[in-house]
Amino acid sequence: MSLLNDTEKVESLISILDNHIDKLPHEDSFANYLETIRFFLKTKDPIIQKSAVSTSSILIENVAYNLYTKINLRQAAGTLIGAFDKVGYTDAVDTAAVILKFEELLQQMSAEEAINVYVDRWRTEEKSL
């Protein structure tokens, strides 16, 4: 590859982004983030560029939040596995099914809903003791 001038670099980057965006699921937060960068690079309109930068900032915050949440889901699933192990639950197939259902339910909830379920559950538990 020969040395590219700035215009060629931008055109090459737009092409790379096109290819990457095509490989991602549509309506995916990360794909939308890449799309805003592509808009920024394609236009010479300062209003569209400013809008693309603002939108990309919001989208990357959402992507970061989603990644953080997924890491927490893995940690929660790991804790659940540890709890099954600690109580001596030995049926691996049943344990896996429960954990998969647990992950599925957590992914459907917002962080606020998950916290509310947790708080409601432990308040109920404390009252019954």
Side-chain angles (χ1 to χ4, degrees):
M1 183 175 208
S2 63
L3 213 52
L4 302 175
N5 65 36
D6 288 345
T7 301
E8 292 168 330
K9 286 179 191 176
V10 170
E11 288 171 0
S12 178
L13 184 55
I14 290 169
S15 176
I16 291 168
L17 285 171
D18 285 338
N19 291 331
H20 290 177
I21 291 167
D22 288 342
K23 291 179 183 178
L24 294 171
H26 296 299
E27 299 307 316
D28 175 75
S29 296
F30 189 64
N32 292 336
Y33 168 71
L34 293 177
E35 185 78 34
T36 60
I37 293 172
R38 184 173 59 176
F39 282 142
F40 175 82
L41 294 171
K42 278 186 167 183
T43 187
K44 293 183 180 180
D45 183 328
I47 294 171
I48 294 174
Q49 286 179 338
K50 185 176 181 178
S51 175
V53 169
S54 287
T55 303
S56 71
S57 294
I58 292 168
L59 290 170
I60 198 64
E61 286 177 20
N62 289 338
V63 168
Y65 174 78
N66 288 337
L67 289 173
Y68 174 76
T69 301
K70 290 199 184 300
I71 290 168
N72 283 341
L73 289 175
R74 285 189 201 116
Q75 291 169 343
T79 301
L80 189 56
I81 291 168
F84 276 112
D85 191 43
K86 186 173 182 174
V87 297
Y89 197 83
T90 57
D91 189 341
V93 174
D94 284 347
T95 301
V98 170
I99 291 168
L100 289 173
K101 187 65 176 174
F102 177 68
E103 275 190 299
E104 182 183 303
L105 291 171
L106 281 177
Q107 288 175 347
Q108 293 172 3
M109 291 183 189
S110 69
E112 184 177 319
E113 288 172 320
I115 290 168
N116 288 338
V117 167
Y118 171 81
V119 168
D120 289 345
R121 170 70 180 108
W122 288 108
R123 282 188 186 148
T124 303
E125 184 71 23
E126 288 172 358
K127 288 178 185 176
S128 67
L129 294 176

